Amino acid sequence: MTGEGPAVPGEGDLAAAQARAALFTAAAVLVPLPLVDDLLVRRSRAHLVATLLRAHGRDVDPARLAPLWQGRGCLDRCLGLPFKLLLWPLKKLLRTVFFFLGIRAAALDVGRTLALGRAVDRRLRAGHLAGAGPAPPGADPLALEALRLRTALDAAYAGIDRVAVVTALGAVVRVARTMPGQLLRAARRVLRKDVEDEAAAVAALPAAERQAVAGAVDRLEAALDDPAVQGLLEELDRRFDAALGAA
C-alpha cells in the first residue's frame, strides 16, 4: 500500500494500553492522600493520550492536548480546592465504610478514562489531532481541538446511566482491588511527573510489581471484552459522536 494516512497500531497494543489506563485509574482512587488521587487519575489519562499518539505515529507534544485531562482552569483548581480538602476525608471514610461506594467511584473514573481513550483513538484514526512538535505562538489549534473533544466527552458522560457503568465496570475495578499493595507501589512509580513513556516505566518496575501489573492487565483485557462492557463503551461512543456533531 502507498497511502499516507495515519498509522494504525495493532489492536493488541491498544487493548493493553486501555487496560493499563483502567488499572492505574482504579489504583489512583485507592491512594490514601488528599488530592493525590485526583492528580494520579489525571496522569493516568495523560499517559494514555501520550501512548495513543506514539502508537499512531504522531510527533505531537502531549502537553498540547492537556485540556483532555486537566480541570477547568482556576475555577476548578483554585476555588474548588478548599471544598475538596474539606470533603476528601468524608469521601474516603464513606468509601472505606461502604465498600460499594468505593467500587462505584472507581468504576465511574475508569469509565471516563476508557471513554477518553476510545475517543482519542478514533479521532487519530480519522486523521485528526495532527500537528508536529511544540505548540505554536498564540492560540494553539490542537489545544482548541482538545478542548472541543473534552466538552463533547463531558456531555456524553453526563447523560450516561451511572448504574450501567458500575454494573459493567465493577469487575474491572475488583481486579485492581485484589492487589492493592503491589498495585499502589507500581502506580506511584509509573505515574510520577517525570515519566513520559508509561510502557517503558512498567517494564522497568521491580519484578514482583511488573508481574502483578502484567497479570492484572491480562485479567482486565478479558473483563473489557465482556459484552456488557463493550455495549457500554459503544453507547459512550455514540453519545460522544452526537455531542461532537452538535458542538
Side-chain angles (χ1 to χ4, degrees), residues 179 182 202 205-218:
M179 42 176 282
Q182 291 174 321
V202 170
L205 287 171
E209 293 174 22
R210 185 173 65 251
Q211 292 169 4
V213 169
V217 166
D218 288 342

Side-chain angles (χ1 to χ4, degrees), residues 70-139:
Q70 284 182 343
R72 294 292 193 175
C74 188
L75 183 63
D76 179 74
R77 296 193 304 270
C78 304
L79 297 181
L81 180 60
F83 294 102
K84 288 181 180 179
L85 288 173
L86 287 172
L87 293 177
W88 184 88
L90 177 60
K91 179 179 73 172
K92 286 295 183 181
L93 175 62
L94 287 175
R95 289 182 186 176
T96 300
V97 174
F98 301 105
F99 180 73
F100 72 91
L101 290 179
I103 293 290
R104 178 184 183 277
L108 292 174
D109 277 329
V110 167
R112 182 60 185 259
T113 296
L114 293 172
L116 169 64
R118 289 171 67 93
V120 170
D121 176 53
R122 292 167 65 229
R123 296 296 287 178
L124 288 168
R125 288 174 185 268
H128 299 284
L129 299 173

Side-chain angles (χ1 to χ4, degrees), residues 12 39 47 62 66 89 99 102 106 113-114 119-120 122 127 132-133 139 157 186 190 195 209 212 226-227 230 241:
L39 173 63
H47 283 185
F99 180 73
T113 296
L114 293 172
V120 170
R122 292 167 65 229
Y157 212 63
V190 173
V195 170
E209 293 174 22
D226 183 272
Q230 288 300 310
D241 290 342

Side-chain angles (χ1 to χ4, degrees), residues 151-160 162 235-236 238-241 243:
T151 301
L153 276 168
D154 287 346
Y157 212 63
I160 201 69
R162 297 298 199 263
E235 173 65 16
L236 283 168
R238 289 190 290 270
R239 287 176 174 273
F240 170 76
D241 290 342

Side-chain angles (χ1 to χ4, degrees), residues 161-174:
D161 184 345
R162 297 298 199 263
V163 175
V165 174
V166 176
T167 300
L169 296 177
V172 174
V173 175
R174 289 184 181 90

